């Protein structure tokens, strides 16, 4: 029996991780979990899985929950996310947090030599160099939960790393894929949130519409699979059935296919390298009939190009990209900026940061978080400034 700590239990990946743990309860025990402000999900998780540790966002909620569950260890705040990793004794940590907040828990999990199933892509976008160096030192193979990276991880099994020539990451194109750039000016929050194939959290759905998500996934792939940016390609694939591919030196291309269902990559990350029957829908190629692939356009999706450039430059620029994006998407979701201003603000933040001479080639954890914070604040101020 493996004991699991699930960070971000109330989110989309979190609830689907609980589905997987429920289905394989003879193998996994939920020892600990975290939620942010959505504490209404707490009682049902405790009743079903009987974990001993919990951490929540606000100390106020923690005080209330300690009274309700006197036998449990309950923490709060950013520090609570680290305490629960140290104290819960879990063997495997599922990091399903959203945003920069996931970086320190990822680093601490690796420092303590625990297994890591990683859905928090920001950990690698911001701190890939730092995180993967730590993983290497500790001899830990980070298990990706992102569907594209799970596909690549699966397509790499049984082959020599040096024989993989290119990674090919598929992109659904997101909610606005049928619009030209000229048709992006009047996009509403509701338009951007209507993702055609994946049911996900709000932030990542907007990130899919801007293609920032794919840019992050390129950076994520670079770090997870130790492959140069010139050997990572992206292709539009609206059906989201081919989750990604690996092209080998002999021109053989291995893809992983399946119905879009995040429980499949979650299960693979948890049970790797074993596979068992699950309740997911089976793929019927006859019913699908046609699969389509289209060339990716940097003109249509400039943030994807920016992600490549930023990734190649490395250092603390990934954190700048992330911080700027996190602020811009938040402002868009609050209807304070337009859809196209997301891009403008992110480009602005990255070039401003470089101009200010703040680039660091090999930042530590605090320097990474500083860069993220700087970009976040810069975008926030800039957006408000433009309005007054
Ligand atoms: Mg993905």
């Amino acid at each position: 029996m493996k004991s699991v700590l699930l960070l971000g239990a109330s989110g989309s990946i979190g609830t689907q991780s609980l589905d997987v743990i429920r289905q394989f309860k003879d193998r996994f025990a939920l020892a600990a979990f975290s939620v942010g402000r959505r504490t209404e999900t707490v009682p049902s998780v405790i009743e079903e899985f009987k974990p001993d540790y919990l951490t929540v966002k606000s100390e106020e909620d923690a005080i209330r929950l300690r009274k309700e569950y006197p036998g449990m260890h309950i923490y709060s705040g950013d520090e609570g996310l680290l305490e629960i990793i140290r104290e819960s004794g879990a063997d495997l940590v599922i990091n399903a947090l959203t945003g920069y907040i996931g970086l320190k828990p990822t680093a601490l999990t690796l420092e303590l030599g625990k297994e890591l199933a990683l859905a928090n892509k920001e950990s690698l976008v911001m701190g890939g160099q730092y995180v993967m160096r730590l993983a290497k030192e500790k001899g830990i193979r980070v298990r990706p939960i992102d569907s594209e990276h799970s596909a690549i991880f699966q397509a790499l099994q049984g082959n020599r790393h040096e024989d993989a020539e290119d990674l090919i990451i598929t992109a659904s194109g997101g909610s606005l894929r049928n619009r030209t750039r000229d048709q992006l000016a009047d996009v509403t929050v509701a338009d951007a949130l209507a993702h055609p194939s994946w049911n996900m959290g709000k932030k990542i759905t907007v990130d899919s519409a801007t293609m920032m998500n794919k840019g992050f996934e390129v950076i994520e792939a670079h770090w997870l699979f130790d492959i140069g940016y010139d050997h990572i390609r992206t292709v539009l694939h609206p059906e989201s059935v081919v989750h990604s591919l690996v092209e080998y030196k002999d021109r053989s291309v291995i893809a992983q296919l399946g119905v879009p269902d995040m429980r499949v990559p979650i299960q693979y990350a948890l049970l790797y390298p074993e596979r068992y029957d699950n309740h997911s829908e089976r793929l019927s190629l006859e019913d699908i009939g046609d699969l389509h692939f289209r060339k990716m356009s940097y003109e249509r999706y400039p943030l994807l190009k920016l992600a490549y450039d930023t990734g190649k430059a490395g250092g603390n620029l990934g954190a700048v990209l992330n911080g700027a994006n996190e602020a811009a998407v938040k402002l868009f979701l609050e209807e304070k900026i337009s859809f196209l201003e997301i891009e403008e603000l992110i480009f602005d933040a990255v070039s401003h940061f470089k101009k200010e001479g703040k680039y660091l080639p090999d930042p530590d954890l605090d320097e990474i978080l500083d860069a993220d914070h700087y970009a976040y604040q810069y975008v926030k101020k800039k957006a408000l400034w433009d309005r007054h």
Side-chain angles (χ1 to χ4, degrees):
M1 187 71 90
K2 198 171 271 185
S3 78
V4 177
L5 161 57
L6 172 58
L7 299 176
S10 61
S12 171
I13 297 292
T15 51
Q16 295 181 84
S17 297
L18 290 173
D19 288 344
V20 175
I21 294 168
R22 180 179 298 119
Q23 208 191 332
F24 295 96
K25 50 176 177 273
D26 53 330
R27 291 167 183 278
F28 300 107
L30 186 76
F33 71 112
S34 87
V35 298
R37 297 197 183 277
R38 275 182 275 173
T39 54
E40 66 276 10
T41 57
V42 164
S44 64
V45 176
I46 293 177
E47 190 173 336
E48 182 179 359
F49 296 96
K50 314 265 184 303
D52 293 321
Y53 296 83
L54 164 66
T55 188
V56 295
K57 183 89 189 163
S58 85
E59 175 59 16
E60 220 172 37
D61 284 330
I63 291 170
R64 176 176 55 79
L65 288 163
R66 281 181 203 121
K67 282 187 195 135
E68 282 173 47
Y69 302 99
M72 284 185 76
H73 304 270
I74 301 178
Y75 313 105
S76 71
D78 294 359
E79 188 50 39
L81 290 169
L82 304 176
E83 268 175 289
I84 202 167
I85 297 171
R86 282 191 214 103
E87 302 300 327
S88 65
D91 310 308
L92 169 73
V93 176
I94 304 173
N95 185 346
L97 297 165
T98 299
Y100 79 95
I101 199 83
L103 175 63
K104 277 191 170 175
T106 288
L108 183 61
T109 298
L110 295 170
E111 262 166 44
L112 296 176
K114 293 175 186 290
E115 291 179 68
L116 175 65
L118 187 62
N120 176 258
K121 60 187 76 186
E122 293 86 349
S123 292
L124 294 174
V125 171
M126 296 168 68
Q129 190 174 6
Y130 184 93
V131 166
M132 293 316 287
R133 190 157 53 206
L134 202 53
K136 209 170 175 187
E137 269 169 33
K138 298 287 177 178
I140 296 167
R141 170 80 254 193
V142 176
R143 304 174 188 189
I145 285 186
D146 215 341
S147 62
E148 294 80 359
H149 305 80
S150 179
I152 292 167
F153 188 42
Q154 294 180 56
L156 287 169
Q157 298 301 316
N159 292 284
R160 294 188 305 178
H161 180 269
E162 63 269 31
D163 293 340
E165 182 84 25
D166 277 22
L167 308 181
I168 305 163
I169 301 177
T170 56
S172 71
S175 51
L176 308 173
R177 63 190 182 194
N178 295 326
R179 295 187 187 223
T180 62
R181 270 198 80 76
D182 295 340
Q183 293 167 331
L184 293 178
D186 59 348
V187 165
T188 65
V189 171
D191 294 335
L193 289 182
H195 197 283
S197 43
W198 293 98
N199 183 11
M200 308 179 289
K202 280 183 187 176
K203 175 174 180 285
I204 188 171
T205 304
V206 175
D207 287 346
S208 297
T210 61
M211 212 52 84
M212 187 78 273
N213 182 54
K214 210 49 55 182
F216 283 173
E217 290 180 353
V218 167
I219 298 175
E220 206 183 347
H222 167 76
W223 291 114
L224 278 171
F225 306 115
D226 188 23
I227 213 155
Y229 285 99
D230 293 335
H231 291 278
I232 304 173
R233 287 140 58 188
T234 59
V235 63
L236 286 163
H237 168 46
E239 288 87 2
S240 301
V241 165
V242 177
H243 297 310
S244 280
L245 317 88
V246 177
E247 183 184 17
Y248 286 91
K249 281 182 178 158
D250 61 0
R251 301 298 169 235
S252 193
V253 180
I254 299 183
Q256 187 258 346
L257 285 73
V259 170
D261 181 344
M262 280 311 293
R263 288 171 300 187
V264 177
I266 294 168
Q267 177 180 331
Y268 191 72
L270 264 57
L271 290 164
Y272 166 81
E274 299 170 13
R275 295 178 187 270
Y276 299 94
D277 196 4
N278 62 25
H279 305 317
S280 294
E281 203 184 316
R282 297 184 77 165
L283 176 66
S284 166
L285 291 173
E286 296 89 334
D287 288 343
I288 294 168
D290 299 307
L291 293 175
H292 297 84
F293 300 91
R294 274 192 291 134
K295 191 177 162 54
M296 183 64 82
S297 160
Y298 288 152
E299 285 73 46
R300 173 65 178 78
Y301 299 112
L303 285 179
L304 179 60
K305 174 75 166 53
L306 182 67
Y308 271 96
D309 294 343
T310 312
K312 280 179 192 170
N316 55 356
L317 286 185
V320 174
L321 194 64
N322 182 67
N325 183 61
E326 225 164 301
V329 172
K330 184 166 185 284
L331 290 164
F332 171 70
L333 287 171
E334 290 168 352
E335 299 183 334
K336 288 180 180 145
I337 61 168
S338 71
F339 183 76
L340 284 173
E341 280 174 300
I342 299 174
E343 277 174 12
E344 275 171 40
L345 287 162
I346 297 169
F347 269 91
D348 186 349
V350 173
S351 75
H352 174 80
F353 192 85
K354 285 196 274 193
K355 240 183 276 162
E356 293 284 298
K358 292 182 177 296
Y359 171 79
L360 297 173
D362 191 10
D364 64 22
L365 219 44
D366 286 328
E367 289 166 337
I368 292 166
L369 287 163
D370 284 349
D372 181 273
H373 185 71
Y374 182 93
Y376 187 96
Q377 293 302 331
Y378 176 82
V379 165
K380 225 171 105 180
K381 270 183 226 145
K382 178 90 185 171
L384 297 176
W385 180 259
D386 285 352
R387 255 147 198 71
H388 296 287

